[in-house]
Amino acid sequence: MTLTLRICFLTYLFLFLIGVPAAWAQDNCDGAPTLPVQNGSCATTLEGTTAGANESSQAAVVPFDKDDDVWYKFTTPASANPTDRFLVILQLTNVMISGDVAGLWLERREGIANVCGDVISSSHYIGAAELNKRWIMTNLLPATQYSIRLYTEGRTSRASYNICLFIPAPPSNDNCTNPQALTVGATCVPSGPYSTLSATKSDQPAEFETGRDDDVWFSFTTGVTAQKYIAQISNRTYHTGFGNSVMELWTACGAVENAGDFAINATADFGVLNTSTTYYIRVYTIGTSSLLTGFSLCVQAITPPANDECTGAIQVVVGAAGFGPVVNGTTQNAGQSAQTIGSCSVTPDDDVWYSFTAPESGNVLMKLENVIHPDNPSSPIMQYIVQGGTCIVSSVVTCGTGNQALITGLIAGQDYQLRLMTQDEGSAANFSLSMQQTLVPENDNCSGATLLTVNTDQTFSITTAGTSTNANPSGIPITGLCFPQGLNDVWYRFVAPASGAVQVRLFDIVNTGGGNTSMFTIAYSGSCGALTQFYCFNTTTIDLLTGLTPGATYYLRTMSYTPGQSHTFRIGVMEFTPQGNGNCANTRNLTTTWQRGSTLGQPLNNSIIACYGSAAPNRVLYYHFTATATTHYIDFKDWVRLSLNQIGVGYRLYKGNCTGDAVANTIKCVASVRSANDTIPNLTIGDTYTVLVMENTFNGGPAEFSIRLSPANTNVWVGTLNSEWNKKENWSTGEIPNQNTEVIIPSGRRFMGSPRYPTITTNTSFRSVKIDPGARVDVAPGVVVTIVE
């Protein structure tokens, strides 16, 4: 026991005489030495080592490596502004690593209560190969104590070093009052490098308030002529490896002289600036942890188009009859004007200006041609705004996208501004502009309604051409379940016939701009000064008007369904009387002449058995014929859907007349047909047959069609043998068609899954040909086909 005490006493005496190693003094957080926070640079450093250090109990970023951790503490300076934040750099020099040569781990803890706890506020890794071994610590609170824990990577490595902390001196352009002057060039010549690394927060407010903690300032002076100025930031490097920068344009160093914010993008388009004026550029990063360790900056002066601003608008002559003189223009180098865009969804970063005087009609067609990007063969999408008033006090009349626009409702003789731009930000376009007056239709208003002839022959043989192009909204409110949105309405009128019922139909609808063909028609009674809306329909709904007073005048208001769409069309009115063959007692004779059929106005017949075997409440029509051959053909064409639910018509063919059992005597039942030729075989010459035409869906709604019994000399392609026209085995009659034959090529003829349609390889003639939708006839080169009819 005495020997042991003597050894311990000698060891203690030895350590007392030579001094305790530095690592032992900082081996635990509680005894960590204080590092002073120096200003500008490290004037002094503290020697340190992890040799001899023991593992601390606190949690670590890399627990396996903390076997040689050492600790330091420091306190940030006080500040009168509690929102201030500090950037402190931890610098390591003379670093020597033994054992497994790897890197160093650094941890930071914050606040008196936490500096020796488990909560790590931030950490950093320094690789052994890094030349400048430092940790840039950002967003540190004022007058706050922090701890630093240092340990080597790996279990066998140890390190010695010199350590210090300093707050770097701010750059010379830290404030607006001492900006870095930039030279303006005709091209972008970057200067620098610059940094926001040690910059402090300026007093001026910012778009991104939390980011101005590292702002720096630049200045440039504009030339003696009006030019557009662009700033470009490049070669950006962030101490965190990533970030987003902001450029701001200021007219002075006050608090409210911010003239523009340009975030994230590398280029800032300042537009046309005042001449001989000094402007200021403020650069900073978004967020408190991001800093620019380096960047370059340039300012470029560009001469904009003469009509870059409203005051320089180029006059365009509106042609009275046809387009006026063409004006060539460009948006290249144009800047964004200050005038409001209202609710328009446009991108006015490169807008240029034109002016025109509204013609007598108040309608102008604007056309852009030869739209080409100045630097490549692409064709940018153009946008436009039409403004009334003056350049100072203006209001948006209309706006849109596209190379052509109809501008309506203008006041004749009044001047307007046309503002053109490309849709994509950063794009540009050269173009040719011309404008012409457009005349509104004569029936643009109710007072000029066109009188329509009412057809009384159960056909639409007389129709009237119409257009919604250039038509203006009438301004008459629309009620009920009408939902048109185009409102470019034109007006028609008709006198109700004796039956008090008419059908109204639009034909040959063409969208002049190539879009959809949807239109809407509203029916009114009364007079133009006192109209009463009583019906509305679109191009896919039933258009039957009933209960009309014979001899009274009614009005039709027709318009495009969609805003910005214009259509040409034909409109017809037909007196409506239900067909009399809605029951078997009044069956019609089916001949080789086409006759019109319509289930509109027929009563629902609940006792008719449909082709699928059960009764359906459908409307029906009856036809009959006497067989003159063992095979006949029934033709359908001109099918018109009068209800959204209707998808076609079906028919049942049975032997006999009304006295027999239709289902029991059925020869053929077809559920749906629109436009086709159908074969009726196994007939007895001289016998009577009935054709019962039915709406083919359960309560599907009415439909119209044309029907006939094909002539006796009809020959139908069956393609039994191959695709050769001149093979009798390929035809239903077993004969090759001749000049007296009506040829029918039905769709759906297939062989082994592939279409089989005829090919004519020699000169031939026939009386007529009917080719169903989806079918075809191929003609070899040089072959002459003669149709006798």
Side-chain angles (χ1 to χ4, degrees), residues 260-283:
D261 299 296
F262 306 88
I264 300 177
N265 292 329
T267 300
D269 187 342
F270 297 148
V272 178
L273 301 179
N274 295 330
T275 60
S276 303
T277 302
T278 297
Y279 288 87
Y280 301 87
I281 299 175
R282 182 192 205 180
V283 177

mmCIF file with all atom_site columns, all heavy atoms in Angstrom, residues 260-283:
data_model
loop_
_atom_site.group_PDB
_atom_site.id
_atom_site.type_symbol
_atom_site.label_atom_id
_atom_site.label_alt_id
_atom_site.label_comp_id
_atom_site.label_asym_id
_atom_site.label_entity_id
_atom_site.label_seq_id
_atom_site.pdbx_PDB_ins_code
_atom_site.Cartn_x
_atom_site.Cartn_y
_atom_site.Cartn_z
_atom_site.occupancy
_atom_site.B_iso_or_equiv
_atom_site.pdbx_formal_charge
_atom_site.auth_seq_id
_atom_site.auth_comp_id
_atom_site.auth_asym_id
_atom_site.auth_atom_id
_atom_site.pdbx_PDB_model_num
ATOM 1   N N   . GLY A 1 260 ? -36.988 48.240 -58.951 1.00 0.00 ? 260 GLY A N   1
ATOM 2   C CA  . GLY A 1 260 ? -37.247 46.929 -59.537 1.00 0.00 ? 260 GLY A CA  1
ATOM 3   C C   . GLY A 1 260 ? -36.552 45.814 -58.786 1.00 0.00 ? 260 GLY A C   1
ATOM 4   O O   . GLY A 1 260 ? -35.444 46.000 -58.268 1.00 0.00 ? 260 GLY A O   1
ATOM 5   N N   . ASP A 1 261 ? -37.219 44.664 -58.712 1.00 0.00 ? 261 ASP A N   1
ATOM 6   C CA  . ASP A 1 261 ? -36.660 43.481 -58.058 1.00 0.00 ? 261 ASP A CA  1
ATOM 7   C C   . ASP A 1 261 ? -36.513 42.372 -59.088 1.00 0.00 ? 261 ASP A C   1
ATOM 8   O O   . ASP A 1 261 ? -37.450 42.089 -59.844 1.00 0.00 ? 261 ASP A O   1
ATOM 9   C CB  . ASP A 1 261 ? -37.576 43.018 -56.924 1.00 0.00 ? 261 ASP A CB  1
ATOM 10  C CG  . ASP A 1 261 ? -37.729 44.082 -55.847 1.00 0.00 ? 261 ASP A CG  1
ATOM 11  O OD1 . ASP A 1 261 ? -36.733 44.408 -55.204 1.00 0.00 ? 261 ASP A OD1 1
ATOM 12  O OD2 . ASP A 1 261 ? -38.857 44.579 -55.668 1.00 0.00 ? 261 ASP A OD2 1
ATOM 13  N N   . PHE A 1 262 ? -35.357 41.705 -59.089 1.00 0.00 ? 262 PHE A N   1
ATOM 14  C CA  . PHE A 1 262 ? -35.084 40.660 -60.065 1.00 0.00 ? 262 PHE A CA  1
ATOM 15  C C   . PHE A 1 262 ? -34.476 39.469 -59.317 1.00 0.00 ? 262 PHE A C   1
ATOM 16  O O   . PHE A 1 262 ? -33.263 39.417 -59.084 1.00 0.00 ? 262 PHE A O   1
ATOM 17  C CB  . PHE A 1 262 ? -34.144 41.167 -61.153 1.00 0.00 ? 262 PHE A CB  1
ATOM 18  C CG  . PHE A 1 262 ? -34.632 42.423 -61.819 1.00 0.00 ? 262 PHE A CG  1
ATOM 19  C CD1 . PHE A 1 262 ? -34.307 43.672 -61.284 1.00 0.00 ? 262 PHE A CD1 1
ATOM 20  C CD2 . PHE A 1 262 ? -35.445 42.366 -62.917 1.00 0.00 ? 262 PHE A CD2 1
ATOM 21  C CE1 . PHE A 1 262 ? -34.764 44.830 -61.868 1.00 0.00 ? 262 PHE A CE1 1
ATOM 22  C CE2 . PHE A 1 262 ? -35.917 43.522 -63.520 1.00 0.00 ? 262 PHE A CE2 1
ATOM 23  C CZ  . PHE A 1 262 ? -35.579 44.763 -62.990 1.00 0.00 ? 262 PHE A CZ  1
ATOM 24  N N   . ALA A 1 263 ? -35.331 38.543 -58.922 1.00 0.00 ? 263 ALA A N   1
ATOM 25  C CA  . ALA A 1 263 ? -34.911 37.423 -58.091 1.00 0.00 ? 263 ALA A CA  1
ATOM 26  C C   . ALA A 1 263 ? -34.589 36.199 -58.934 1.00 0.00 ? 263 ALA A C   1
ATOM 27  O O   . ALA A 1 263 ? -35.220 35.958 -59.961 1.00 0.00 ? 263 ALA A O   1
ATOM 28  C CB  . ALA A 1 263 ? -35.999 37.081 -57.078 1.00 0.00 ? 263 ALA A CB  1
ATOM 29  N N   . ILE A 1 264 ? -33.596 35.453 -58.481 1.00 0.00 ? 264 ILE A N   1
ATOM 30  C CA  . ILE A 1 264 ? -33.226 34.126 -58.980 1.00 0.00 ? 264 ILE A CA  1
ATOM 31  C C   . ILE A 1 264 ? -32.608 34.177 -60.371 1.00 0.00 ? 264 ILE A C   1
ATOM 32  O O   . ILE A 1 264 ? -31.555 33.598 -60.615 1.00 0.00 ? 264 ILE A O   1
ATOM 33  C CB  . ILE A 1 264 ? -34.441 33.163 -58.965 1.00 0.00 ? 264 ILE A CB  1
ATOM 34  C CG1 . ILE A 1 264 ? -34.962 33.024 -57.524 1.00 0.00 ? 264 ILE A CG1 1
ATOM 35  C CG2 . ILE A 1 264 ? -34.068 31.806 -59.535 1.00 0.00 ? 264 ILE A CG2 1
ATOM 36  C CD1 . ILE A 1 264 ? -36.187 32.165 -57.405 1.00 0.00 ? 264 ILE A CD1 1
ATOM 37  N N   . ASN A 1 265 ? -33.260 34.905 -61.341 1.00 0.00 ? 265 ASN A N   1
ATOM 38  C CA  . ASN A 1 265 ? -32.737 34.921 -62.697 1.00 0.00 ? 265 ASN A CA  1
ATOM 39  C C   . ASN A 1 265 ? -31.357 35.567 -62.743 1.00 0.00 ? 265 ASN A C   1
ATOM 40  O O   . ASN A 1 265 ? -31.052 36.495 -62.000 1.00 0.00 ? 265 ASN A O   1
ATOM 41  C CB  . ASN A 1 265 ? -33.684 35.682 -63.623 1.00 0.00 ? 265 ASN A CB  1
ATOM 42  C CG  . ASN A 1 265 ? -34.991 34.952 -63.814 1.00 0.00 ? 265 ASN A CG  1
ATOM 43  O OD1 . ASN A 1 265 ? -35.024 33.733 -63.769 1.00 0.00 ? 265 ASN A OD1 1
ATOM 44  N ND2 . ASN A 1 265 ? -36.063 35.681 -64.023 1.00 0.00 ? 265 ASN A ND2 1
ATOM 45  N N   . ALA A 1 266 ? -30.527 35.085 -63.662 1.00 0.00 ? 266 ALA A N   1
ATOM 46  C CA  . ALA A 1 266 ? -29.173 35.624 -63.801 1.00 0.00 ? 266 ALA A CA  1
ATOM 47  C C   . ALA A 1 266 ? -29.168 36.951 -64.534 1.00 0.00 ? 266 ALA A C   1
ATOM 48  O O   . ALA A 1 266 ? -28.191 37.694 -64.470 1.00 0.00 ? 266 ALA A O   1
ATOM 49  C CB  . ALA A 1 266 ? -28.289 34.617 -64.542 1.00 0.00 ? 266 ALA A CB  1
ATOM 50  N N   . THR A 1 267 ? -30.244 37.274 -65.238 1.00 0.00 ? 267 THR A N   1
ATOM 51  C CA  . THR A 1 267 ? -30.324 38.506 -66.013 1.00 0.00 ? 267 THR A CA  1
ATOM 52  C C   . THR A 1 267 ? -31.442 39.381 -65.485 1.00 0.00 ? 267 THR A C   1
ATOM 53  O O   . THR A 1 267 ? -32.544 38.902 -65.222 1.00 0.00 ? 267 THR A O   1
ATOM 54  C CB  . THR A 1 267 ? -30.559 38.195 -67.505 1.00 0.00 ? 267 THR A CB  1
ATOM 55  O OG1 . THR A 1 267 ? -29.480 37.403 -67.991 1.00 0.00 ? 267 THR A OG1 1
ATOM 56  C CG2 . THR A 1 267 ? -30.641 39.467 -68.323 1.00 0.00 ? 267 THR A CG2 1
ATOM 57  N N   . ALA A 1 268 ? -31.162 40.673 -65.350 1.00 0.00 ? 268 ALA A N   1
ATOM 58  C CA  . ALA A 1 268 ? -32.162 41.652 -64.924 1.00 0.00 ? 268 ALA A CA  1
ATOM 59  C C   . ALA A 1 268 ? -32.331 42.681 -66.032 1.00 0.00 ? 268 ALA A C   1
ATOM 60  O O   . ALA A 1 268 ? -31.387 43.382 -66.395 1.00 0.00 ? 268 ALA A O   1
ATOM 61  C CB  . ALA A 1 268 ? -31.732 42.330 -63.634 1.00 0.00 ? 268 ALA A CB  1
ATOM 62  N N   . ASP A 1 269 ? -33.549 42.759 -66.589 1.00 0.00 ? 269 ASP A N   1
ATOM 63  C CA  . ASP A 1 269 ? -33.857 43.718 -67.648 1.00 0.00 ? 269 ASP A CA  1
ATOM 64  C C   . ASP A 1 269 ? -34.419 44.973 -67.001 1.00 0.00 ? 269 ASP A C   1
ATOM 65  O O   . ASP A 1 269 ? -35.559 45.003 -66.546 1.00 0.00 ? 269 ASP A O   1
ATOM 66  C CB  . ASP A 1 269 ? -34.863 43.089 -68.620 1.00 0.00 ? 269 ASP A CB  1
ATOM 67  C CG  . ASP A 1 269 ? -35.107 43.956 -69.841 1.00 0.00 ? 269 ASP A CG  1
ATOM 68  O OD1 . ASP A 1 269 ? -34.786 45.159 -69.807 1.00 0.00 ? 269 ASP A OD1 1
ATOM 69  O OD2 . ASP A 1 269 ? -35.646 43.434 -70.839 1.00 0.00 ? 269 ASP A OD2 1
ATOM 70  N N   . PHE A 1 270 ? -33.621 46.045 -66.977 1.00 0.00 ? 270 PHE A N   1
ATOM 71  C CA  . PHE A 1 270 ? -34.039 47.281 -66.335 1.00 0.00 ? 270 PHE A CA  1
ATOM 72  C C   . PHE A 1 270 ? -34.902 48.145 -67.241 1.00 0.00 ? 270 PHE A C   1
ATOM 73  O O   . PHE A 1 270 ? -35.454 49.158 -66.791 1.00 0.00 ? 270 PHE A O   1
ATOM 74  C CB  . PHE A 1 270 ? -32.816 48.084 -65.889 1.00 0.00 ? 270 PHE A CB  1
ATOM 75  C CG  . PHE A 1 270 ? -31.963 47.394 -64.862 1.00 0.00 ? 270 PHE A CG  1
ATOM 76  C CD1 . PHE A 1 270 ? -30.591 47.597 -64.817 1.00 0.00 ? 270 PHE A CD1 1
ATOM 77  C CD2 . PHE A 1 270 ? -32.523 46.520 -63.941 1.00 0.00 ? 270 PHE A CD2 1
ATOM 78  C CE1 . PHE A 1 270 ? -29.794 46.965 -63.869 1.00 0.00 ? 270 PHE A CE1 1
ATOM 79  C CE2 . PHE A 1 270 ? -31.748 45.877 -62.988 1.00 0.00 ? 270 PHE A CE2 1
ATOM 80  C CZ  . PHE A 1 270 ? -30.374 46.103 -62.962 1.00 0.00 ? 270 PHE A CZ  1
ATOM 81  N N   . GLY A 1 271 ? -35.019 47.759 -68.520 1.00 0.00 ? 271 GLY A N   1
ATOM 82  C CA  . GLY A 1 271 ? -35.785 48.570 -69.450 1.00 0.00 ? 271 GLY A CA  1
ATOM 83  C C   . GLY A 1 271 ? -35.042 49.845 -69.826 1.00 0.00 ? 271 GLY A C   1
ATOM 84  O O   . GLY A 1 271 ? -33.838 49.991 -69.605 1.00 0.00 ? 271 GLY A O   1
ATOM 85  N N   . VAL A 1 272 ? -35.770 50.786 -70.418 1.00 0.00 ? 272 VAL A N   1
ATOM 86  C CA  . VAL A 1 272 ? -35.171 52.061 -70.837 1.00 0.00 ? 272 VAL A CA  1
ATOM 87  C C   . VAL A 1 272 ? -35.089 52.984 -69.622 1.00 0.00 ? 272 VAL A C   1
ATOM 88  O O   . VAL A 1 272 ? -36.098 53.265 -68.972 1.00 0.00 ? 272 VAL A O   1
ATOM 89  C CB  . VAL A 1 272 ? -35.997 52.706 -71.956 1.00 0.00 ? 272 VAL A CB  1
ATOM 90  C CG1 . VAL A 1 272 ? -35.398 54.046 -72.350 1.00 0.00 ? 272 VAL A CG1 1
ATOM 91  C CG2 . VAL A 1 272 ? -36.059 51.781 -73.172 1.00 0.00 ? 272 VAL A CG2 1
ATOM 92  N N   . LEU A 1 273 ? -33.883 53.469 -69.330 1.00 0.00 ? 273 LEU A N   1
ATOM 93  C CA  . LEU A 1 273 ? -33.660 54.305 -68.157 1.00 0.00 ? 273 LEU A CA  1
ATOM 94  C C   . LEU A 1 273 ? -33.415 55.756 -68.569 1.00 0.00 ? 273 LEU A C   1
ATOM 95  O O   . LEU A 1 273 ? -33.136 56.057 -69.742 1.00 0.00 ? 273 LEU A O   1
ATOM 96  C CB  . LEU A 1 273 ? -32.461 53.776 -67.362 1.00 0.00 ? 273 LEU A CB  1
ATOM 97  C CG  . LEU A 1 273 ? -32.571 52.332 -66.857 1.00 0.00 ? 273 LEU A CG  1
ATOM 98  C CD1 . LEU A 1 273 ? -31.310 51.940 -66.102 1.00 0.00 ? 273 LEU A CD1 1
ATOM 99  C CD2 . LEU A 1 273 ? -33.802 52.147 -65.980 1.00 0.00 ? 273 LEU A CD2 1
ATOM 100 N N   . ASN A 1 274 ? -33.529 56.641 -67.585 1.00 0.00 ? 274 ASN A N   1
ATOM 101 C CA  . ASN A 1 274 ? -33.275 58.058 -67.836 1.00 0.00 ? 274 ASN A CA  1
ATOM 102 C C   . ASN A 1 274 ? -31.828 58.265 -68.256 1.00 0.00 ? 274 ASN A C   1
ATOM 103 O O   . ASN A 1 274 ? -30.916 57.549 -67.825 1.00 0.00 ? 274 ASN A O   1
ATOM 104 C CB  . ASN A 1 274 ? -33.570 58.877 -66.582 1.00 0.00 ? 274 ASN A CB  1
ATOM 105 C CG  . ASN A 1 274 ? -35.043 58.829 -66.218 1.00 0.00 ? 274 ASN A CG  1
ATOM 106 O OD1 . ASN A 1 274 ? -35.907 58.692 -67.079 1.00 0.00 ? 274 ASN A OD1 1
ATOM 107 N ND2 . ASN A 1 274 ? -35.337 58.948 -64.931 1.00 0.00 ? 274 ASN A ND2 1
ATOM 108 N N   . THR A 1 275 ? -31.607 59.253 -69.085 1.00 0.00 ? 275 THR A N   1
ATOM 109 C CA  . THR A 1 275 ? -30.252 59.531 -69.562 1.00 0.00 ? 275 THR A CA  1
ATOM 110 C C   . THR A 1 275 ? -29.441 60.245 -68.495 1.00 0.00 ? 275 THR A C   1
ATOM 111 O O   . THR A 1 275 ? -29.980 60.941 -67.610 1.00 0.00 ? 275 THR A O   1
ATOM 112 C CB  . THR A 1 275 ? -30.305 60.392 -70.836 1.00 0.00 ? 275 THR A CB  1
ATOM 113 O OG1 . THR A 1 275 ? -30.977 61.621 -70.537 1.00 0.00 ? 275 THR A OG1 1
ATOM 114 C CG2 . THR A 1 275 ? -31.065 59.667 -71.943 1.00 0.00 ? 275 THR A CG2 1
ATOM 115 N N   . SER A 1 276 ? -28.118 60.069 -68.588 1.00 0.00 ? 276 SER A N   1
ATOM 116 C CA  . SER A 1 276 ? -27.148 60.769 -67.726 1.00 0.00 ? 276 SER A CA  1
ATOM 117 C C   . SER A 1 276 ? -27.535 60.687 -66.250 1.00 0.00 ? 276 SER A C   1
ATOM 118 O O   . SER A 1 276 ? -27.514 61.688 -65.521 1.00 0.00 ? 276 SER A O   1
ATOM 119 C CB  . SER A 1 276 ? -27.010 62.231 -68.174 1.00 0.00 ? 276 SER A CB  1
ATOM 120 O OG  . SER A 1 276 ? -26.616 62.309 -69.530 1.00 0.00 ? 276 SER A OG  1
ATOM 121 N N   . THR A 1 277 ? -27.901 59.505 -65.807 1.00 0.00 ? 277 THR A N   1
ATOM 122 C CA  . THR A 1 277 ? -28.371 59.309 -64.433 1.00 0.00 ? 277 THR A CA  1
ATOM 123 C C   . THR A 1 277 ? -27.621 58.148 -63.797 1.00 0.00 ? 277 THR A C   1
ATOM 124 O O   . THR A 1 277 ? -27.343 57.136 -64.448 1.00 0.00 ? 277 THR A O   1
ATOM 125 C CB  . THR A 1 277 ? -29.881 59.015 -64.418 1.00 0.00 ? 277 THR A CB  1
ATOM 126 O OG1 . THR A 1 277 ? -30.568 60.095 -65.043 1.00 0.00 ? 277 THR A OG1 1
ATOM 127 C CG2 . THR A 1 277 ? -30.398 58.841 -62.994 1.00 0.00 ? 277 THR A CG2 1
ATOM 128 N N   . THR A 1 278 ? -27.283 58.305 -62.502 1.00 0.00 ? 278 THR A N   1
ATOM 129 C CA  . THR A 1 278 ? -26.626 57.226 -61.775 1.00 0.00 ? 278 THR A CA  1
ATOM 130 C C   . THR A 1 278 ? -27.668 56.342 -61.103 1.00 0.00 ? 278 THR A C   1
ATOM 131 O O   . THR A 1 278 ? -28.577 56.830 -60.422 1.00 0.00 ? 278 THR A O   1
ATOM 132 C CB  . THR A 1 278 ? -25.669 57.783 -60.720 1.00 0.00 ? 278 THR A CB  1
ATOM 133 O OG1 . THR A 1 278 ? -24.639 58.531 -61.367 1.00 0.00 ? 278 THR A OG1 1
ATOM 134 C CG2 . THR A 1 278 ? -25.028 56.651 -59.915 1.00 0.00 ? 278 THR A CG2 1
ATOM 135 N N   . TYR A 1 279 ? -27.543 55.038 -61.323 1.00 0.00 ? 279 TYR A N   1
ATOM 136 C CA  . TYR A 1 279 ? -28.425 54.047 -60.722 1.00 0.00 ? 279 TYR A CA  1
ATOM 137 C C   . TYR A 1 279 ? -27.595 53.110 -59.845 1.00 0.00 ? 279 TYR A C   1
ATOM 138 O O   . TYR A 1 279 ? -26.362 53.013 -60.000 1.00 0.00 ? 279 TYR A O   1
ATOM 139 C CB  . TYR A 1 279 ? -29.152 53.236 -61.796 1.00 0.00 ? 279 TYR A CB  1
ATOM 140 C CG  . TYR A 1 279 ? -30.225 54.015 -62.525 1.00 0.00 ? 279 TYR A CG  1
ATOM 141 C CD1 . TYR A 1 279 ? -29.909 54.777 -63.650 1.00 0.00 ? 279 TYR A CD1 1
ATOM 142 C CD2 . TYR A 1 279 ? -31.537 53.978 -62.098 1.00 0.00 ? 279 TYR A CD2 1
ATOM 143 C CE1 . TYR A 1 279 ? -30.889 55.489 -64.332 1.00 0.00 ? 279 TYR A CE1 1
ATOM 144 C CE2 . TYR A 1 279 ? -32.537 54.678 -62.772 1.00 0.00 ? 279 TYR A CE2 1
ATOM 145 C CZ  . TYR A 1 279 ? -32.199 55.434 -63.886 1.00 0.00 ? 279 TYR A CZ  1
ATOM 146 O OH  . TYR A 1 279 ? -33.173 56.130 -64.538 1.00 0.00 ? 279 TYR A OH  1
ATOM 147 N N   . TYR A 1 280 ? -28.273 52.406 -58.962 1.00 0.00 ? 280 TYR A N   1
ATOM 148 C CA  . TYR A 1 280 ? -27.602 51.525 -58.005 1.00 0.00 ? 280 TYR A CA  1
ATOM 149 C C   . TYR A 1 280 ? -28.167 50.108 -58.133 1.00 0.00 ? 280 TYR A C   1
ATOM 150 O O   . TYR A 1 280 ? -29.377 49.921 -58.307 1.00 0.00 ? 280 TYR A O   1
ATOM 151 C CB  . TYR A 1 280 ? -27.786 52.031 -56.571 1.00 0.00 ? 280 TYR A CB  1
ATOM 152 C CG  . TYR A 1 280 ? -27.240 53.437 -56.377 1.00 0.00 ? 280 TYR A CG  1
ATOM 153 C CD1 . TYR A 1 280 ? -28.034 54.550 -56.645 1.00 0.00 ? 280 TYR A CD1 1
ATOM 154 C CD2 . TYR A 1 280 ? -25.940 53.625 -55.953 1.00 0.00 ? 280 TYR A CD2 1
ATOM 155 C CE1 . TYR A 1 280 ? -27.530 55.832 -56.495 1.00 0.00 ? 280 TYR A CE1 1
ATOM 156 C CE2 . TYR A 1 280 ? -25.421 54.910 -55.790 1.00 0.00 ? 280 TYR A CE2 1
ATOM 157 C CZ  . TYR A 1 280 ? -26.229 56.006 -56.073 1.00 0.00 ? 280 TYR A CZ  1
ATOM 158 O OH  . TYR A 1 280 ? -25.726 57.269 -55.922 1.00 0.00 ? 280 TYR A OH  1
ATOM 159 N N   . ILE A 1 281 ? -27.281 49.129 -58.039 1.00 0.00 ? 281 ILE A N   1
ATOM 160 C CA  . ILE A 1 281 ? -27.676 47.715 -58.074 1.00 0.00 ? 281 ILE A CA  1
ATOM 161 C C   . ILE A 1 281 ? -27.324 47.097 -56.720 1.00 0.00 ? 281 ILE A C   1
ATOM 162 O O   . ILE A 1 281 ? -26.187 47.208 -56.256 1.00 0.00 ? 281 ILE A O   1
ATOM 163 C CB  . ILE A 1 281 ? -26.950 46.949 -59.194 1.00 0.00 ? 281 ILE A CB  1
ATOM 164 C CG1 . ILE A 1 281 ? -27.290 47.551 -60.565 1.00 0.00 ? 281 ILE A CG1 1
ATOM 165 C CG2 . ILE A 1 281 ? -27.343 45.470 -59.166 1.00 0.00 ? 281 ILE A CG2 1
ATOM 166 C CD1 . ILE A 1 281 ? -26.505 46.923 -61.699 1.00 0.00 ? 281 ILE A CD1 1
ATOM 167 N N   . ARG A 1 282 ? -28.297 46.458 -56.129 1.00 0.00 ? 282 ARG A N   1
ATOM 168 C CA  . ARG A 1 282 ? -28.107 45.777 -54.844 1.00 0.00 ? 282 ARG A CA  1
ATOM 169 C C   . ARG A 1 282 ? -28.148 44.272 -55.101 1.00 0.00 ? 282 ARG A C   1
ATOM 170 O O   . ARG A 1 282 ? -29.077 43.768 -55.735 1.00 0.00 ? 282 ARG A O   1
ATOM 171 C CB  . ARG A 1 282 ? -29.222 46.183 -53.901 1.00 0.00 ? 282 ARG A CB  1
ATOM 172 C CG  . ARG A 1 282 ? -29.143 45.600 -52.502 1.00 0.00 ? 282 ARG A CG  1
ATOM 173 C CD  . ARG A 1 282 ? -30.464 45.873 -51.809 1.00 0.00 ? 282 ARG A CD  1
ATOM 174 N NE  . ARG A 1 282 ? -30.385 45.911 -50.367 1.00 0.00 ? 282 ARG A NE  1
ATOM 175 C CZ  . ARG A 1 282 ? -31.435 46.127 -49.580 1.00 0.00 ? 282 ARG A CZ  1
ATOM 176 N NH1 . ARG A 1 282 ? -32.623 46.341 -50.107 1.00 0.00 ? 282 ARG A NH1 1
ATOM 177 N NH2 . ARG A 1 282 ? -31.283 46.140 -48.278 1.00 0.00 ? 282 ARG A NH2 1
ATOM 178 N N   . VAL A 1 283 ? -27.148 43.547 -54.607 1.00 0.00 ? 283 VAL A N   1
ATOM 179 C CA  . VAL A 1 283 ? -27.054 42.092 -54.789 1.00 0.00 ? 283 VAL A CA  1
ATOM 180 C C   . VAL A 1 283 ? -27.022 41.436 -53.416 1.00 0.00 ? 283 VAL A C   1
ATOM 181 O O   . VAL A 1 283 ? -26.268 41.865 -52.534 1.00 0.00 ? 283 VAL A O   1
ATOM 182 C CB  . VAL A 1 283 ? -25.801 41.707 -55.593 1.00 0.00 ? 283 VAL A CB  1
ATOM 183 C CG1 . VAL A 1 283 ? -25.682 40.182 -55.693 1.00 0.00 ? 283 VAL A CG1 1
ATOM 184 C CG2 . VAL A 1 283 ? -25.844 42.325 -56.982 1.00 0.00 ? 283 VAL A CG2 1
#
